[in-house]
Amino acid sequence: MASISAHRLIAAGMHRVPKPFRAFAVRSDEPRHAFDARAPYGQVHLVHTTFLDAGSLAGLVAQGYARVNIEVFSDIDYATTTQDDLASAAPGVTDLVGEIAGALQVTGVLGDEFACYRDSVATRIDYLASCGAGFHNDVSRHWSGCLFWLLALDVVDVEFVMPHAGVRLALAPGDLLVFDQTMAHGLCRPADHGEAVATSFEAGPHRHQLFLTGEMLLTDTQWAALGAPWLPVEEHDRRGALDLMVAEFDERSGVIKRLHALRDGMKRSTCHVDESTG
């Protein structure tokens, strides 16, 4: 079992959906869900982990920042890493992949089996660096079929915010987030009351943030177990759903732009499938 001190489950299902829409839904650009959509996952998990000793945390921070390039507000950069790289940076953690997997297992999003979480974490771990983050979502490619996790390494005076779900979470090193990245999200200063303000990240010693991150792909059965089954787009059209695949967000407030252009999103005639995906 991973070293954790607490697990918070934050309800994120009471969405603030702009009229004339009544719900959110996520279409896919993968052939297997060419004419399907799912509702967003209505929970955010925050697991407070304790497995990173001070030396290992400092080692990961140094290794991660050396591999990324971030300069101005809302810059986001990824850097791939390996289990050997992580082990060398964090010698005080005997099994970093296992610790992350154990913390993810607490969320239950992939079921009960530890092996599912370990296999998911071992598949890919990236460094993610940012300079604050304006509101955006991540839907394209296979991302409509997964959840994201973030392990905070270097975060000072920063909140994770999902404006349409009423979520504002202060972050600290060692915090592990699991969330549905198809919902708009960003990184804000607590003093900015849920807005992503560029000037708040322009100067000072804590302009940048660093995380480890990965994806957890879910099967159709797992999505159904989470209350977000894949259904024909016609069902979501009947529910008055706004398609998050094509939504555009104001970077500062998260307000959804050009709502009139989204009215016919849940139609078979507007579904887009990238034939290059498997």
Side-chain angles (χ1 to χ4, degrees), residues 51-53 56-57 60 86-87 90-100:
F51 55 77
L52 289 174
D53 62 281
S56 294
L57 180 61
L60 290 169
L86 294 171
V93 184
T94 302
D95 180 11
L96 182 59
V97 168
E99 291 284 6
I100 295 172

Side-chain angles (χ1 to χ4, degrees), residues 72-76 129-134 158 186-188 201 207-209:
V72 299
F73 172 69
S74 218
D75 275 356
I76 296 175
S130 59
C131 183
V158 170
L187 296 175
C188 308
F201 294 89
R207 298 175 56 229
H208 299 155
Q209 300 81 46

Side-chain angles (χ1 to χ4, degrees), residues 13 15 60 63 95 107 113 121 130-131 137 141 179 212 220 225 236 242 258 273:
H15 298 144
L60 290 169
Q63 185 181 85
D95 180 11
T107 71
E113 294 297 322
V121 175
S130 59
C131 183
N137 70 347
R141 300 179 291 170
F179 65 101
L212 288 175
D220 288 5
H236 292 282
L242 184 157
R258 303 189 304 121
V273 176

Side-chain angles (χ1 to χ4, degrees), residues 2-274:
S3 303
I4 66 171
S5 59
H7 170 218
R8 289 178 59 194
L9 184 62
I10 298 96
M14 299 300 291
H15 298 144
R16 301 168 182 171
V17 184
K19 295 181 178 180
F21 301 97
R22 302 190 303 276
F24 288 128
V26 184
R27 285 190 306 178
S28 174
D29 55 6
E30 294 188 290
R32 69 191 183 101
H33 289 303
F35 302 109
D36 298 330
R38 65 168 177 84
Y41 176 48
Q43 308 283 355
V44 174
H45 297 265
L46 178 62
V47 182
H48 299 285
T49 71
T50 58
F51 55 77
L52 289 174
D53 62 281
S56 294
L57 180 61
L60 290 169
V61 169
Q63 185 181 85
Y65 278 135
R67 299 182 180 195
V68 296
N69 182 23
I70 45 175
E71 296 296 336
V72 299
F73 172 69
S74 218
D75 275 356
I76 296 175
D77 195 14
Y78 291 84
T80 59
T81 186
T82 67
Q83 294 185 44
D84 287 343
D85 288 345
L86 294 171
S88 67
V93 184
T94 302
D95 180 11
L96 182 59
V97 168
E99 291 284 6
I100 295 172
L104 291 174
Q105 186 183 18
V106 173
T107 71
V109 295
L110 297 181
D112 297 328
E113 294 297 322
F114 174 75
C116 294
Y117 297 91
R118 187 177 185 93
D119 290 347
S120 178
V121 175
T123 298
R124 180 177 176 181
I125 303 177
D126 292 337
Y127 284 109
L128 182 154
S130 59
C131 183
F135 290 112
H136 64 287
N137 70 347
D138 303 279
V139 187
S140 63
R141 300 179 291 170
H142 63 276
W143 286 340
S144 61
C146 72
L147 297 173
F148 278 7
W149 61 263
L150 290 173
L151 176 63
L153 301 178
D154 184 29
V155 286
V156 177
D157 193 34
V158 170
E159 287 183 327
F160 174 84
V161 179
M162 297 175 71
H164 302 288
V167 172
R168 289 178 57 186
L169 296 172
L171 298 179
D175 284 348
L176 180 72
L177 276 174
V178 175
F179 65 101
D180 189 339
Q181 69 287 338
T182 64
M183 291 288 289
H185 53 279
L187 296 175
C188 308
R189 297 295 193 201
D192 293 328
H193 307 291
E195 291 201 333
V197 180
T199 54
S200 296
F201 294 89
E202 284 182 348
H206 304 303
R207 298 175 56 229
H208 299 155
Q209 300 81 46
L210 186 70
F211 306 84
L212 288 175
T213 187
E215 307 157 2
M216 292 191 291
L217 284 170
L218 278 70
T219 65
D220 288 5
T221 299
Q222 288 168 329
W223 280 118
L226 293 183
W230 288 96
L231 300 171
V233 291
E234 291 84 358
E235 174 62 21
H236 292 282
D237 187 39
R238 184 186 66 78
R239 298 176 182 180
L242 184 157
D243 180 15
L244 290 169
M245 171 175 269
V246 293
E248 181 183 357
F249 306 97
D250 179 83
E251 187 176 60
R252 176 171 175 142
S253 68
V255 168
I256 300 175
K257 301 179 180 180
R258 303 189 304 121
L259 289 172
H260 66 281
L262 305 176
R263 287 177 180 266
D264 294 320
M266 288 296 158
K267 307 287 186 184
R268 286 191 174 237
S269 60
T270 61
C271 289
H272 168 74
V273 176
D274 185 349

